[in-house]
Amino acid sequence: MQRIHATIAVSAFALLAMTVAGTAPAHAQTEIQWWHAMSGANNETVENLAKEFNATQSEYKVVPVYKGTYPETLNAGIAAFRARQPPHIIQVFDVGTGVMMGARSAIKPVAEVMKEGGESFDKSKYLAGIVSYYSAADGTMLSFPFNSSSPILYYNKASFRKAGLDPEAPPKTWPEVFEAAKKIKASGQSCGMTTTWPTWIHLENFSAWNNLPYATDQNGLTSLTPELKINGPLNIRHFSTLAELQKDGTFQYGGRTSEAKAKFLNGECAMLPESSGGIGDMVKAGLDFGTGNLPYYPEAAGAPQNTVPGGASLWVFAGKPAADYKGVAQFFTYLSKTEVQSRLHQVSGYLPATMAAYEATKKEGFYEKNPGREIPIQQMMGKEPTENSKGIRLVNMPQVRDIQNEEIEALLNGRQDAKTALDNAVRRSNEAIKEAAKAYQ
């Protein structure tokens, strides 16, 4: 992404804009291309949102296109930009935020899109923690907070009963999770726990939730070249335990992104730290499951602190005709409606983007009828963020995650111990960050 420089962006989009403007027939319905990474139940939600918006007017047609996983969608957007054929809107996961911010000439800030499109946009009406994460240092809103999430603990109640555990009392701390996983394994079940998103949950949110630094310079918020701090004693202890439990299958590694969710859905593993946005698939599968807070370590001072947003936001590529941006602005206004946000939150498990949607959901009694569904909001908003928990911003976060995943996999395959794995992750990540930062300095 660092190769997306200003000059390339300007020339590429100028040409694209001329092409589009010159070929669009008068009065034709304008298509708004929306590339996204939502699969399963959430894909159905995206399709329904587009259909509903399209039915409200006749000037624009939002066309959602599934482009694969989050990393695959980001890479598809980069390739499309280089080919001068980017979509209007692209869903970019949280770790791509720093990448997109670094490519300012390639994107059009959402605040600008809304203003030029004649739509009102009051960011004070959105959840503060989410708004700040997707804003520039000067407060300009850069992307639309579409599907923000927080990692929570899912557990299979039937597995808990079989192991003699209380199905209404999920473990609260990591030591309690590990003990429960051992009991589940000892009861004859195949796997106590697995996890999705090892880097997001066990490094990034692990640090924020336990009020530990992920990196120097406020986790990269104030510098292009922060140095990672993910090899502290508690980090090493945590990964040492996971590696030990992996040996007999009490813990089973399932992949770098959301692949491990299948192990929970098919009943193979009884516990799963996973995005709150995964709840749609749990419900659809008909599982008898419960949810709990993301576990923490009781000896960590200040823990539990607050989680940092995951999920994704919607970015708008620059260089499109002004009329197209009017359609994008109208679509974002539609997505911001209280009834739309409330339903999106209740169906998908993602956080409501606006305070009005959150309050409306509470007023409906949704959380009383669905215990645990307020957990991700409380985790993110329960405490004032510290320098360790405001968020993480690296110019090459996807690359850093790949490095960390390689070292974690080498650990879990028995090729190195936890200290070596995390030391290597820090060293290699820091080298990669310094190299990537050169493109922005």
Side-chain angles (χ1 to χ4, degrees), residues 368-430:
E368 294 171 4
K369 298 174 186 173
N370 299 275
R373 294 294 297 276
E374 198 174 8
I375 286 175
I377 303 171
Q378 294 169 330
Q379 284 186 165
M380 194 172 295
M381 299 178 60
K383 286 184 177 179
E384 189 70 23
T386 69
E387 290 190 358
N388 296 328
S389 64
K390 288 181 180 177
I392 297 169
R393 195 72 47 76
L394 303 178
V395 294
N396 60 337
M397 195 74 181
Q399 181 188 12
V400 168
R401 275 193 176 180
D402 284 342
I403 291 170
Q404 294 168 345
N405 278 315
E406 289 170 4
E407 297 298 336
I408 291 170
E409 287 169 353
L411 161 68
L412 297 176
N413 287 331
R415 300 201 302 271
Q416 60 185 357
D417 61 26
K419 185 177 187 307
T420 302
L422 295 177
D423 285 347
N424 286 342
V426 167
R427 176 183 53 77
R428 293 179 58 201
S429 296
N430 288 345

Short mmCIF file of all heavy atoms in Angstrom, two decimals, residues 368-430:
data_model
loop_
_atom_site.label_atom_id
_atom_site.label_comp_id
_atom_site.label_asym_id
_atom_site.label_seq_id
_atom_site.Cartn_x
_atom_site.Cartn_y
_atom_site.Cartn_z
N GLU A 368 -32.33 -7.04 28.10
CA GLU A 368 -32.95 -7.84 29.15
C GLU A 368 -33.40 -9.20 28.60
O GLU A 368 -33.32 -10.22 29.27
CB GLU A 368 -34.14 -7.09 29.74
CG GLU A 368 -33.73 -5.80 30.47
CD GLU A 368 -34.95 -4.97 30.86
OE1 GLU A 368 -36.08 -5.42 30.61
OE2 GLU A 368 -34.74 -3.86 31.39
N LYS A 369 -33.86 -9.17 27.35
CA LYS A 369 -34.31 -10.42 26.72
C LYS A 369 -33.13 -11.24 26.19
O LYS A 369 -33.25 -12.45 25.98
CB LYS A 369 -35.25 -10.11 25.56
CG LYS A 369 -36.51 -9.38 25.96
CD LYS A 369 -37.32 -8.97 24.73
CE LYS A 369 -38.51 -8.10 25.09
NZ LYS A 369 -39.20 -7.57 23.88
N ASN A 370 -31.99 -10.59 25.97
CA ASN A 370 -30.82 -11.25 25.38
C ASN A 370 -29.59 -10.96 26.23
O ASN A 370 -28.75 -10.13 25.87
CB ASN A 370 -30.59 -10.76 23.95
CG ASN A 370 -31.75 -11.06 23.04
OD1 ASN A 370 -31.85 -12.16 22.48
ND2 ASN A 370 -32.66 -10.09 22.88
N PRO A 371 -29.51 -11.62 27.39
CA PRO A 371 -28.38 -11.37 28.30
C PRO A 371 -27.04 -11.59 27.59
O PRO A 371 -26.87 -12.55 26.83
CB PRO A 371 -28.60 -12.42 29.40
CG PRO A 371 -30.05 -12.74 29.35
CD PRO A 371 -30.44 -12.63 27.91
N GLY A 372 -26.12 -10.71 27.82
CA GLY A 372 -24.79 -10.85 27.23
C GLY A 372 -24.59 -10.04 25.97
O GLY A 372 -23.46 -9.79 25.56
N ARG A 373 -25.70 -9.57 25.35
CA ARG A 373 -25.54 -8.86 24.09
C ARG A 373 -25.03 -7.43 24.28
O ARG A 373 -24.63 -6.77 23.33
CB ARG A 373 -26.87 -8.87 23.33
CG ARG A 373 -27.30 -10.25 22.87
CD ARG A 373 -26.35 -10.80 21.82
NE ARG A 373 -26.33 -10.01 20.62
CZ ARG A 373 -27.20 -10.12 19.63
NH1 ARG A 373 -28.13 -11.06 19.71
NH2 ARG A 373 -27.14 -9.35 18.58
N GLU A 374 -25.06 -6.94 25.52
CA GLU A 374 -24.54 -5.60 25.78
C GLU A 374 -23.05 -5.64 26.13
O GLU A 374 -22.39 -4.60 26.26
CB GLU A 374 -25.34 -4.95 26.93
CG GLU A 374 -25.20 -3.43 27.00
CD GLU A 374 -26.11 -2.83 28.06
OE1 GLU A 374 -26.73 -3.61 28.84
OE2 GLU A 374 -26.22 -1.60 28.12
N ILE A 375 -22.53 -6.85 26.29
CA ILE A 375 -21.13 -7.01 26.72
C ILE A 375 -20.14 -6.24 25.85
O ILE A 375 -19.29 -5.51 26.39
CB ILE A 375 -20.76 -8.51 26.76
CG1 ILE A 375 -21.41 -9.18 27.96
CG2 ILE A 375 -19.24 -8.70 26.81
CD1 ILE A 375 -21.19 -10.70 28.01
N PRO A 376 -20.18 -6.38 24.53
CA PRO A 376 -19.16 -5.68 23.72
C PRO A 376 -19.19 -4.17 23.89
O PRO A 376 -18.13 -3.52 23.85
CB PRO A 376 -19.48 -6.10 22.29
CG PRO A 376 -20.87 -6.64 22.32
CD PRO A 376 -21.06 -7.20 23.68
N ILE A 377 -20.38 -3.59 24.10
CA ILE A 377 -20.48 -2.14 24.28
C ILE A 377 -19.90 -1.75 25.64
O ILE A 377 -19.13 -0.79 25.75
CB ILE A 377 -21.95 -1.69 24.18
CG1 ILE A 377 -22.53 -2.12 22.83
CG2 ILE A 377 -22.06 -0.17 24.35
CD1 ILE A 377 -24.02 -1.91 22.73
N GLN A 378 -20.24 -2.53 26.65
CA GLN A 378 -19.72 -2.23 27.99
C GLN A 378 -18.21 -2.39 28.05
O GLN A 378 -17.53 -1.64 28.74
CB GLN A 378 -20.40 -3.15 29.01
CG GLN A 378 -21.89 -2.88 29.16
CD GLN A 378 -22.61 -3.96 29.97
OE1 GLN A 378 -22.21 -5.13 29.96
NE2 GLN A 378 -23.66 -3.57 30.66
N GLN A 379 -17.69 -3.38 27.33
CA GLN A 379 -16.23 -3.57 27.33
C GLN A 379 -15.51 -2.37 26.71
O GLN A 379 -14.45 -1.98 27.16
CB GLN A 379 -15.88 -4.83 26.52
CG GLN A 379 -16.16 -6.14 27.22
CD GLN A 379 -15.66 -7.34 26.46
OE1 GLN A 379 -15.57 -8.44 27.01
NE2 GLN A 379 -15.34 -7.19 25.19
N MET A 380 -16.13 -1.80 25.68
CA MET A 380 -15.46 -0.71 24.98
C MET A 380 -15.68 0.64 25.66
O MET A 380 -14.83 1.52 25.61
CB MET A 380 -15.94 -0.64 23.53
CG MET A 380 -15.08 0.23 22.64
SD MET A 380 -15.54 0.11 20.90
CE MET A 380 -15.13 -1.58 20.57
N MET A 381 -16.83 0.80 26.33
CA MET A 381 -17.19 2.11 26.87
C MET A 381 -17.18 2.16 28.39
O MET A 381 -17.46 3.19 28.98
CB MET A 381 -18.59 2.49 26.37
CG MET A 381 -18.68 2.61 24.86
SD MET A 381 -20.35 3.01 24.30
CE MET A 381 -20.63 4.58 25.11
N GLY A 382 -16.86 1.04 29.04
CA GLY A 382 -16.97 0.96 30.49
C GLY A 382 -16.01 1.84 31.25
O GLY A 382 -16.28 2.29 32.35
N LYS A 383 -14.83 2.10 30.66
CA LYS A 383 -13.81 2.91 31.32
C LYS A 383 -13.23 3.91 30.33
O LYS A 383 -13.20 3.66 29.13
CB LYS A 383 -12.65 2.03 31.84
CG LYS A 383 -12.97 1.21 33.08
CD LYS A 383 -11.71 0.47 33.54
CE LYS A 383 -11.96 -0.31 34.82
NZ LYS A 383 -10.74 -1.06 35.26
N GLU A 384 -12.76 5.03 30.87
CA GLU A 384 -12.06 6.01 30.04
C GLU A 384 -10.76 5.37 29.55
O GLU A 384 -9.98 4.85 30.34
CB GLU A 384 -11.76 7.26 30.86
CG GLU A 384 -11.23 8.42 30.07
CD GLU A 384 -12.29 9.05 29.17
OE1 GLU A 384 -13.50 8.89 29.48
OE2 GLU A 384 -11.90 9.69 28.19
N PRO A 385 -10.52 5.38 28.24
CA PRO A 385 -9.30 4.73 27.72
C PRO A 385 -8.02 5.33 28.27
O PRO A 385 -7.94 6.53 28.55
CB PRO A 385 -9.41 4.98 26.21
CG PRO A 385 -10.85 5.20 25.95
CD PRO A 385 -11.37 5.90 27.16
N THR A 386 -7.02 4.49 28.46
CA THR A 386 -5.69 4.94 28.86
C THR A 386 -4.81 4.99 27.61
O THR A 386 -5.24 4.66 26.50
CB THR A 386 -5.07 3.96 29.87
OG1 THR A 386 -4.77 2.72 29.19
CG2 THR A 386 -6.02 3.69 31.03
N GLU A 387 -3.56 5.38 27.79
CA GLU A 387 -2.64 5.39 26.64
C GLU A 387 -2.44 3.98 26.08
O GLU A 387 -2.04 3.82 24.94
CB GLU A 387 -1.29 5.99 27.05
CG GLU A 387 -1.35 7.49 27.32
CD GLU A 387 0.03 8.10 27.49
OE1 GLU A 387 1.02 7.33 27.43
OE2 GLU A 387 0.11 9.32 27.66
N ASN A 388 -2.72 2.98 26.91
CA ASN A 388 -2.58 1.60 26.46
C ASN A 388 -3.82 1.09 25.72
O ASN A 388 -3.77 0.01 25.12
CB ASN A 388 -2.32 0.67 27.65
CG ASN A 388 -1.01 0.97 28.34
OD1 ASN A 388 -0.06 1.38 27.70
ND2 ASN A 388 -0.97 0.76 29.65
N SER A 389 -4.92 1.85 25.81
CA SER A 389 -6.17 1.27 25.30
C SER A 389 -6.96 2.21 24.38
O SER A 389 -8.14 1.97 24.12
CB SER A 389 -7.06 0.86 26.48
OG SER A 389 -7.45 1.98 27.24
N LYS A 390 -6.33 3.27 23.90
CA LYS A 390 -7.02 4.17 22.96
C LYS A 390 -7.15 3.55 21.58
O LYS A 390 -8.02 3.91 20.80
CB LYS A 390 -6.27 5.50 22.84
CG LYS A 390 -6.36 6.39 24.06
CD LYS A 390 -5.59 7.68 23.82
CE LYS A 390 -5.67 8.60 25.03
NZ LYS A 390 -4.85 9.83 24.84
N GLY A 391 -6.25 2.66 21.27
CA GLY A 391 -6.24 2.05 19.94
C GLY A 391 -4.81 1.79 19.51
O GLY A 391 -3.86 2.13 20.23
N ILE A 392 -4.67 1.18 18.35
CA ILE A 392 -3.35 0.86 17.82
C ILE A 392 -3.30 1.36 16.38
O ILE A 392 -4.23 1.13 15.61
CB ILE A 392 -3.09 -0.66 17.86
CG1 ILE A 392 -3.09 -1.16 19.30
CG2 ILE A 392 -1.78 -1.01 17.16
CD1 ILE A 392 -3.10 -2.66 19.44
N ARG A 393 -2.21 2.01 16.02
CA ARG A 393 -2.11 2.56 14.68
C ARG A 393 -0.70 2.29 14.14
O ARG A 393 0.27 2.86 14.63
CB ARG A 393 -2.39 4.06 14.75
CG ARG A 393 -2.67 4.75 13.45
CD ARG A 393 -4.02 4.43 12.86
NE ARG A 393 -5.15 4.49 13.76
CZ ARG A 393 -5.74 5.60 14.20
NH1 ARG A 393 -5.27 6.76 13.87
NH2 ARG A 393 -6.80 5.53 14.98
N LEU A 394 -0.60 1.39 13.21
CA LEU A 394 0.68 1.11 12.54
C LEU A 394 0.49 1.27 11.04
O LEU A 394 -0.55 0.89 10.50
CB LEU A 394 1.15 -0.33 12.84
CG LEU A 394 1.32 -0.73 14.31
CD1 LEU A 394 1.74 -2.19 14.40
CD2 LEU A 394 2.34 0.17 15.00
N VAL A 395 1.49 1.81 10.35
CA VAL A 395 1.35 2.05 8.91
C VAL A 395 1.30 0.76 8.12
O VAL A 395 0.89 0.76 6.95
CB VAL A 395 2.51 2.93 8.39
CG1 VAL A 395 2.43 4.32 8.98
CG2 VAL A 395 3.86 2.28 8.67
N ASN A 396 1.74 -0.34 8.72
CA ASN A 396 1.76 -1.63 8.00
C ASN A 396 1.21 -2.74 8.89
O ASN A 396 1.77 -3.82 8.98
CB ASN A 396 3.19 -1.97 7.56
CG ASN A 396 4.13 -2.09 8.75
OD1 ASN A 396 3.88 -1.54 9.81
ND2 ASN A 396 5.23 -2.82 8.56
N MET A 397 0.09 -2.46 9.52
CA MET A 397 -0.48 -3.41 10.48
C MET A 397 -0.73 -4.79 9.86
O MET A 397 -0.44 -5.81 10.50
CB MET A 397 -1.79 -2.84 11.04
CG MET A 397 -2.28 -3.56 12.27
SD MET A 397 -1.30 -3.15 13.71
CE MET A 397 -2.10 -4.14 14.97
N PRO A 398 -1.27 -4.91 8.64
CA PRO A 398 -1.45 -6.25 8.07
C PRO A 398 -0.14 -7.02 7.98
O PRO A 398 -0.10 -8.23 8.26
CB PRO A 398 -2.04 -5.96 6.68
CG PRO A 398 -2.75 -4.65 6.84
CD PRO A 398 -1.86 -3.85 7.77
N GLN A 399 0.94 -6.34 7.59
CA GLN A 399 2.24 -7.01 7.51
C GLN A 399 2.73 -7.44 8.90
O GLN A 399 3.25 -8.55 9.08
CB GLN A 399 3.27 -6.08 6.86
CG GLN A 399 4.65 -6.70 6.72
CD GLN A 399 5.71 -5.70 6.25
OE1 GLN A 399 5.47 -4.49 6.25
NE2 GLN A 399 6.86 -6.20 5.84
N VAL A 400 2.53 -6.56 9.87
CA VAL A 400 2.94 -6.88 11.24
C VAL A 400 2.17 -8.09 11.76
O VAL A 400 2.72 -8.98 12.41
CB VAL A 400 2.75 -5.66 12.16
CG1 VAL A 400 2.90 -6.05 13.63
CG2 VAL A 400 3.76 -4.57 11.80
N ARG A 401 0.88 -8.12 11.46
CA ARG A 401 0.10 -9.29 11.89
C ARG A 401 0.62 -10.58 11.24
O ARG A 401 0.64 -11.63 11.87
CB ARG A 401 -1.38 -9.09 11.54
CG ARG A 401 -2.16 -8.32 12.58
CD ARG A 401 -3.65 -8.46 12.31
NE ARG A 401 -4.44 -7.81 13.35
CZ ARG A 401 -5.77 -7.79 13.34
NH1 ARG A 401 -6.43 -8.37 12.35
NH2 ARG A 401 -6.44 -7.19 14.31
N ASP A 402 0.99 -10.50 9.98
CA ASP A 402 1.53 -11.70 9.31
C ASP A 402 2.80 -12.19 10.02
O ASP A 402 2.99 -13.39 10.23
CB ASP A 402 1.84 -11.40 7.84
CG ASP A 402 0.59 -11.34 6.98
OD1 ASP A 402 -0.45 -11.85 7.43
OD2 ASP A 402 0.66 -10.77 5.88
N ILE A 403 3.66 -11.26 10.37
CA ILE A 403 4.89 -11.62 11.08
C ILE A 403 4.55 -12.30 12.41
O ILE A 403 5.10 -13.35 12.76
CB ILE A 403 5.75 -10.36 11.32
CG1 ILE A 403 6.31 -9.84 9.99
CG2 ILE A 403 6.87 -10.64 12.33
CD1 ILE A 403 6.99 -8.48 10.10
N GLN A 404 3.64 -11.68 13.15
CA GLN A 404 3.28 -12.23 14.45
C GLN A 404 2.63 -13.61 14.31
O GLN A 404 2.92 -14.52 15.10
CB GLN A 404 2.32 -11.26 15.15
CG GLN A 404 2.98 -9.93 15.51
CD GLN A 404 1.98 -8.86 15.93
OE1 GLN A 404 0.77 -8.99 15.71
NE2 GLN A 404 2.48 -7.80 16.53
N ASN A 405 1.79 -13.75 13.30
CA ASN A 405 1.17 -15.07 13.09
C ASN A 405 2.21 -16.14 12.77
O ASN A 405 2.10 -17.28 13.22
CB ASN A 405 0.13 -14.97 11.96
CG ASN A 405 -1.21 -14.42 12.43
OD1 ASN A 405 -1.71 -14.84 13.48
ND2 ASN A 405 -1.78 -13.50 11.68
N GLU A 406 3.22 -15.78 11.99
CA GLU A 406 4.28 -16.75 11.67
C GLU A 406 5.01 -17.21 12.93
O GLU A 406 5.28 -18.40 13.11
CB GLU A 406 5.28 -16.11 10.69
CG GLU A 406 4.73 -15.90 9.29
CD GLU A 406 5.64 -15.05 8.41
OE1 GLU A 406 6.75 -14.69 8.89
OE2 GLU A 406 5.25 -14.74 7.28
N GLU A 407 5.30 -16.27 13.80
CA GLU A 407 6.02 -16.62 15.03
C GLU A 407 5.13 -17.43 15.99
O GLU A 407 5.59 -18.37 16.64
CB GLU A 407 6.53 -15.35 15.72
CG GLU A 407 7.55 -14.56 14.91
CD GLU A 407 8.83 -15.35 14.62
OE1 GLU A 407 9.14 -16.30 15.38
OE2 GLU A 407 9.51 -15.02 13.62
N ILE A 408 3.84 -17.07 16.06
CA ILE A 408 2.91 -17.82 16.91
C ILE A 408 2.75 -19.25 16.40
O ILE A 408 2.74 -20.21 17.18
CB ILE A 408 1.54 -17.11 16.96
CG1 ILE A 408 1.66 -15.79 17.73
CG2 ILE A 408 0.48 -18.00 17.62
CD1 ILE A 408 0.42 -14.90 17.63
N GLU A 409 2.65 -19.40 15.10
CA GLU A 409 2.50 -20.75 14.52
C GLU A 409 3.76 -21.59 14.77
O GLU A 409 3.66 -22.80 15.04
CB GLU A 409 2.19 -20.63 13.03
CG GLU A 409 0.77 -20.14 12.77
CD GLU A 409 0.51 -19.76 11.32
OE1 GLU A 409 1.48 -19.74 10.53
OE2 GLU A 409 -0.66 -19.47 10.99
N ALA A 410 4.93 -20.97 14.69
CA ALA A 410 6.16 -21.70 14.98
C ALA A 410 6.19 -22.14 16.44
O ALA A 410 6.67 -23.23 16.78
CB ALA A 410 7.38 -20.82 14.66
N LEU A 411 5.65 -21.31 17.32
CA LEU A 411 5.54 -21.67 18.74
C LEU A 411 4.60 -22.86 18.92
O LEU A 411 4.96 -23.86 19.58
CB LEU A 411 5.02 -20.46 19.53
CG LEU A 411 4.42 -20.74 20.92
CD1 LEU A 411 5.50 -21.21 21.88
CD2 LEU A 411 3.71 -19.50 21.45
N LEU A 412 3.41 -22.76 18.34
CA LEU A 412 2.41 -23.80 18.54
C LEU A 412 2.78 -25.11 17.85
O LEU A 412 2.27 -26.17 18.21
CB LEU A 412 1.04 -23.30 18.06
CG LEU A 412 0.48 -22.09 18.83
CD1 LEU A 412 -0.82 -21.61 18.21
CD2 LEU A 412 0.27 -22.43 20.31
N ASN A 413 3.67 -25.03 16.87
CA ASN A 413 4.17 -26.25 16.22
C ASN A 413 5.38 -26.84 16.93
O ASN A 413 5.97 -27.81 16.47
CB ASN A 413 4.54 -25.94 14.76
CG ASN A 413 3.31 -25.74 13.89
OD1 ASN A 413 2.26 -26.31 14.16
ND2 ASN A 413 3.43 -24.92 12.86
N GLY A 414 5.76 -26.21 18.05
CA GLY A 414 6.84 -26.74 18.86
C GLY A 414 8.23 -26.41 18.38
O GLY A 414 9.21 -27.00 18.84
N ARG A 415 8.35 -25.44 17.48
CA ARG A 415 9.66 -25.11 16.94
C ARG A 415 10.40 -24.04 17.74
O ARG A 415 11.57 -23.79 17.51
CB ARG A 415 9.54 -24.66 15.48
CG ARG A 415 8.91 -25.72 14.56
CD ARG A 415 9.28 -25.46 13.10
NE ARG A 415 8.86 -24.16 12.65
CZ ARG A 415 7.67 -23.90 12.13
NH1 ARG A 415 6.77 -24.87 12.02
NH2 ARG A 415 7.34 -22.70 11.72
N GLN A 416 9.73 -23.41 18.69
CA GLN A 416 10.38 -22.42 19.54
C GLN A 416 9.52 -22.19 20.78
O GLN A 416 8.34 -22.56 20.81
CB GLN A 416 10.59 -21.11 18.78
CG GLN A 416 9.31 -20.46 18.26
CD GLN A 416 9.60 -19.22 17.41
OE1 GLN A 416 10.74 -18.80 17.24
NE2 GLN A 416 8.56 -18.61 16.86
N ASP A 417 10.13 -21.59 21.82
CA ASP A 417 9.35 -21.33 23.02
C ASP A 417 8.68 -19.95 22.91
O ASP A 417 8.93 -19.19 21.97
CB ASP A 417 10.21 -21.44 24.28
CG ASP A 417 11.37 -20.45 24.29
OD1 ASP A 417 11.27 -19.38 23.64
OD2 ASP A 417 12.38 -20.74 24.94
N ALA A 418 7.84 -19.63 23.89
CA ALA A 418 7.04 -18.41 23.83
C ALA A 418 7.92 -17.15 23.85
O ALA A 418 7.65 -16.18 23.12
CB ALA A 418 6.05 -18.38 24.99
N LYS A 419 8.95 -17.15 24.68
CA LYS A 419 9.81 -15.96 24.76
C LYS A 419 10.50 -15.71 23.42
O LYS A 419 10.55 -14.57 22.93
CB LYS A 419 10.84 -16.11 25.87
CG LYS A 419 11.68 -14.85 26.08
CD LYS A 419 12.66 -14.99 27.22
CE LYS A 419 13.37 -13.65 27.50
NZ LYS A 419 13.99 -13.05 26.33
N THR A 420 11.01 -16.77 22.83
CA THR A 420 11.69 -16.62 21.54
C THR A 420 10.69 -16.14 20.49
O THR A 420 11.01 -15.24 19.68
CB THR A 420 12.29 -17.96 21.10
OG1 THR A 420 13.20 -18.42 22.10
CG2 THR A 420 13.03 -17.82 19.77
N ALA A 421 9.49 -16.72 20.49
CA ALA A 421 8.47 -16.33 19.50
C ALA A 421 8.13 -14.85 19.62
O ALA A 421 8.08 -14.13 18.61
CB ALA A 421 7.22 -17.17 19.69
N LEU A 422 7.90 -14.38 20.83
CA LEU A 422 7.49 -12.99 21.00
C LEU A 422 8.67 -12.03 20.79
O LEU A 422 8.49 -10.93 20.25
CB LEU A 422 6.86 -12.79 22.38
CG LEU A 422 5.54 -13.56 22.57
CD1 LEU A 422 5.01 -13.37 23.99
CD2 LEU A 422 4.49 -13.11 21.55
N ASP A 423 9.87 -12.44 21.20
CA ASP A 423 11.05 -11.61 20.92
C ASP A 423 11.25 -11.47 19.41
O ASP A 423 11.55 -10.38 18.90
CB ASP A 423 12.30 -12.23 21.55
CG ASP A 423 12.35 -12.03 23.07
OD1 ASP A 423 11.57 -11.22 23.59
OD2 ASP A 423 13.19 -12.69 23.73
N ASN A 424 11.10 -12.58 18.70
CA ASN A 424 11.25 -12.52 17.24
C ASN A 424 10.17 -11.64 16.61
O ASN A 424 10.43 -10.89 15.67
CB ASN A 424 11.15 -13.93 16.65
CG ASN A 424 12.39 -14.77 16.91
OD1 ASN A 424 13.45 -14.22 17.24
ND2 ASN A 424 12.27 -16.07 16.77
N ALA A 425 8.95 -11.77 17.13
CA ALA A 425 7.85 -10.96 16.59
C ALA A 425 8.13 -9.47 16.78
O ALA A 425 7.88 -8.66 15.88
CB ALA A 425 6.54 -11.35 17.27
N VAL A 426 8.65 -9.12 17.94
CA VAL A 426 8.97 -7.71 18.21
C VAL A 426 10.08 -7.23 17.28
O VAL A 426 9.97 -6.17 16.64
CB VAL A 426 9.38 -7.53 19.69
CG1 VAL A 426 10.00 -6.16 19.90
CG2 VAL A 426 8.16 -7.71 20.59
N ARG A 427 11.15 -7.99 17.21
CA ARG A 427 12.30 -7.58 16.38
C ARG A 427 11.90 -7.44 14.92
O ARG A 427 12.16 -6.41 14.28
CB ARG A 427 13.44 -8.59 16.53
CG ARG A 427 14.65 -8.33 15.63
CD ARG A 427 15.70 -9.41 15.79
NE ARG A 427 15.18 -10.76 15.61
CZ ARG A 427 14.89 -11.31 14.42
NH1 ARG A 427 15.08 -10.60 13.30
NH2 ARG A 427 14.42 -12.54 14.34
N ARG A 428 11.27 -8.45 14.38
CA ARG A 428 10.90 -8.43 12.95
C ARG A 428 9.85 -7.34 12.67
O ARG A 428 9.91 -6.67 11.63
CB ARG A 428 10.38 -9.79 12.53
CG ARG A 428 11.42 -10.90 12.55
CD ARG A 428 10.78 -12.23 12.15
NE ARG A 428 10.17 -12.15 10.82
CZ ARG A 428 9.22 -12.98 10.38
NH1 ARG A 428 8.76 -13.94 11.17
NH2 ARG A 428 8.72 -12.85 9.17
N SER A 429 8.89 -7.19 13.58
CA SER A 429 7.85 -6.17 13.38
C SER A 429 8.46 -4.78 13.39
O SER A 429 8.12 -3.93 12.55
CB SER A 429 6.78 -6.29 14.45
OG SER A 429 6.10 -7.53 14.38
N ASN A 430 9.34 -4.52 14.35
CA ASN A 430 9.95 -3.19 14.43
C ASN A 430 10.74 -2.86 13.17
O ASN A 430 10.71 -1.73 12.67
CB ASN A 430 10.86 -3.12 15.66
CG ASN A 430 10.08 -3.07 16.97
OD1 ASN A 430 8.87 -2.82 16.96
ND2 ASN A 430 10.75 -3.34 18.07
#
